[in-house]
Amino acid sequence: MEHHEERDGLLAEAVALRGKGRKEEARERLVALAARWPDDAEVAYQTAWAHDVLGLEAEAVPYYERALDDTAGPLAPDDRRGALLGLGSTYRVLGRYEDAVALLTRAVGEFPEDGSLRAFLAMALHNTGRHHEAVSLLLRLLAATSEDPSIRAYGAAIEHYAEDLDATG
C-alpha cells in the first residue's frame, strides 16, 4: 500500500489527540481521514477504535469491518489482532453473539498465543448459552497463564477437568 506523508502525519496527529484524552476531536479527524482514504485499513482501524473508546460501538463496526477487509490492504499483525478483538468484543456488546463467536473463533485460530482473544471468545460463548465450552476455555487459559502458585500446583488437574467438566476422577 502506498503511504502518503500527508496521510501519515494526519493519522499520527489524530492518534496523538486520542492519547491526550481529546477523544472526540480525534474521532472527528479520523472520520474525515477515513472518508478521504476509504481503502486504507490502518485509517479504518484507528477510526473504529476512536468510536469504541467513546462507547459508540455501533458506529465502530463498519470501520472495524473495513479494516479487516482484505481489499483494504493488510494491517500489521498487532493491529490486525487488535481489530479482531475490537470487532469481536463490539459484536458481543451489541448482542450479535453468534457473529462474535464466529469472528473470535477465527481470531483465536489466527493468534493462538493471545489470551485476551480466548477470554473474549469465552464471554461470547457464554452469551450463546455454550457455558461448558466457555468455562472449559477459561480453565485452560487460567492453567496456562496464571502465576498464582496455588493454581500452578493444580495446573495439570485443572487442564484435565477442563476437558471434561463432569468427570469425577
Side-chain angles (χ1 to χ4, degrees):
M1 174 173 32
E2 182 179 307
H3 284 278
H4 305 286
E5 284 182 32
E6 181 185 12
R7 172 254 187 220
D8 291 349
L10 292 170
L11 183 59
E13 285 174 20
V15 170
L17 285 171
R18 188 182 64 220
K20 294 175 186 172
R22 293 163 61 184
K23 296 174 187 172
E24 178 55 36
E25 191 177 346
R27 186 195 69 78
E28 290 170 8
R29 288 200 191 186
L30 286 160
V31 166
L33 288 176
R36 187 168 173 190
W37 285 286
D39 296 326
D40 188 307
E42 186 181 3
V43 169
Y45 171 51
Q46 293 297 336
T47 307
W49 192 6
H51 284 85
D52 226 349
V53 299
L54 287 167
L56 302 171
E57 289 90 356
E59 292 88 339
V61 168
Y63 293 107
Y64 277 130
E65 289 173 343
R66 189 187 311 172
L68 292 165
D69 181 347
D70 293 335
T71 62
L75 282 171
D78 279 349
D79 286 347
R80 180 166 174 78
R81 186 168 46 226
L84 288 164
L85 179 70
L87 182 57
S89 173
T90 298
Y91 280 160
R92 196 185 76 76
V93 167
L94 294 173
R96 294 175 60 180
Y97 303 132
E98 294 295 344
D99 289 336
V101 168
L103 184 88
L104 291 166
T105 298
R106 190 179 94 213
V108 166
E110 201 172 321
F111 297 100
E113 76 290 350
D114 189 302
S116 63
L117 288 168
R118 287 184 278 163
F120 277 87
L121 174 57
M123 287 185 263
L125 286 166
H126 165 77
N127 293 127
T128 61
R130 293 158 68 181
H131 307 297
H132 190 281
E133 281 180 75
V135 171
S136 181
L137 182 59
L138 288 175
L139 285 173
R140 285 195 300 271
L141 180 60
L142 179 68
T145 63
S146 179
E147 296 300 321
D148 182 318
S150 62
I151 297 293
R152 284 240 178 270
Y154 291 98
I158 292 169
E159 280 279 349
H160 171 74
Y161 290 119
E163 292 304 312
D164 182 3
L165 291 168
D166 300 314
T168 56

